[in-house]
Amino acid sequence: MLENKDEIKKVLENDGVIAYVTDTVWGLGCLPSSEKAVKKIYEIKNREAQKPLILMSNEMYNLLNYVQIIPKIGQKLVKKYFPGALTLVVKKNPEMTPDYITSGMDTVGIRVPDNEVFKEICEVAPGHVLATTSANLSHQPSAKSYEQAFQNMEGLVDMIIEDYGCFCKGLESTVVGVFDDDNMKVFRQGAIKIEL
């Protein structure tokens, strides 16, 4: 489906920022290892430094190095809702997940979107993981179409990738924190209603 895989890989390897469709809203992303690109995302969005980015991949397996052991309740949520519109906030692995992604916090949000174009982008991205946020300026509505993403990000990002008809649903992900085996906290009610 993706026609410009080599170009996407090259942009990411050169500290670039890309805009792309997910199953929820449009996203901005870069390689987690590129502090330069992460800083660029904050500048593009005019985003507050205390708001962390999250990590997304096409496979849960690719995210495991970035986090500590996921509590049982979190594992249940992963089984039930990944891939899909759930962002799970868990304790990060400090050796793999840099403070510049998590705003110095000891937790990180992880997600596996259910969107074919996004999956293919992750397949070509070195390491198969992107540090991401939504493709809009801070405090503005999220982009829900290629046209809106283009309007928001033209001239600001290094590349805007077409959606090839794999549209997003237009509702942000639900964000749930899981820090021990028994408790979870819903930080944001989004596209899915959490039931265990």
Side-chain angles (χ1 to χ4, degrees), residues 28-68:
L28 284 186
C30 66
L31 294 183
S33 55
S34 173
E35 187 172 3
K36 192 175 171 186
V38 169
K39 280 185 172 151
K40 206 188 286 184
I41 287 178
Y42 278 88
E43 282 161 19
I44 288 166
K45 286 187 60 122
N46 199 12
R47 185 175 173 84
E48 296 96 332
Q50 66 273 28
K51 280 187 160 184
L53 302 185
I54 70 165
L55 297 173
M56 297 203 304
S57 183
N58 56 329
E59 296 271 355
M60 181 61 189
Y61 173 76
N62 298 325
L63 295 163
L64 292 176
N65 280 342
Y66 291 89
V67 299
Q68 294 180 28

Side-chain angles (χ1 to χ4, degrees), residues 27 91 166 194:
K91 292 278 187 196
C166 295
I194 292 292

Side-chain angles (χ1 to χ4, degrees), residues 11 40 65 68 73 125-126 131 133 135-136 152 158 179-181 189:
V11 166
K40 206 188 286 184
N65 280 342
Q68 294 180 28
I73 198 166
T133 178
N136 55 296
N152 289 351
D158 299 290
F179 311 116
D180 59 44
D181 281 342
Q189 191 56 62

Side-chain angles (χ1 to χ4, degrees), residues 150-192:
F150 195 82
Q151 221 175 342
N152 289 351
M153 294 296 146
E154 187 196 9
L156 297 173
V157 297
D158 299 290
M159 191 175 189
I160 301 170
I161 298 161
E162 282 180 56
D163 58 27
Y164 299 93
C166 295
F167 304 122
C168 64
K169 296 191 177 80
L171 256 185
E172 277 92 354
S173 67
T174 297
V175 182
V176 175
V178 178
F179 311 116
D180 59 44
D181 281 342
D182 305 309
N183 300 300
M184 63 175 189
K185 181 179 180 182
V186 178
F187 291 113
R188 178 176 75 193
Q189 191 56 62
I192 57 173

